Amino acid sequence: MKKEKIVLWIKRFVALLAIGFWLSVVYEISQMSAPFMEQAPYCMGSTMLIFGILTAIHKGLDYWSLKEK
């Protein structure tokens, strides 16, 4: 039970970090002097990369928490 709570809090913390990082990246992209059509690929790419990494971390934590059951 203790390991499950630790994993849950790690997931929450990592998700909060990812969302904060994503918001800062989107803000930086929006400050570029380029028009929106040139900013869109950067925004979409960074969003997919950040949340893809977050998904991988969550899947890894799930695997680790269920490994010893």
Side-chain angles (χ1 to χ4, degrees):
M1 185 67 168
K2 180 101 170 141
K3 187 175 184 180
E4 293 170 357
K5 284 194 178 228
I6 291 171
V7 168
L8 178 65
W9 281 103
I10 291 172
K11 284 181 177 182
R12 289 176 180 170
F13 179 71
V14 170
L16 187 64
L17 283 177
I19 291 170
F21 182 65
W22 174 70
L23 288 173
S24 68
V25 168
V26 169
Y27 176 76
E28 289 296 320
I29 291 169
S30 72
Q31 298 303 307
M32 292 170 50
S33 60
F36 177 75
M37 291 306 290
E38 292 179 22
Q39 294 175 357
Y42 294 107
C43 187
M44 290 177 6
S46 64
T47 299
M48 290 189 301
L49 180 65
I50 291 167
F51 288 105
I53 291 170
L54 177 63
T55 301
I57 290 170
H58 274 236
K59 293 279 187 183
L61 287 169
D62 282 341
Y63 176 77
W64 178 67
S65 70
L66 298 174
K67 186 177 180 181
E68 297 178 9
K69 281 192 173 182

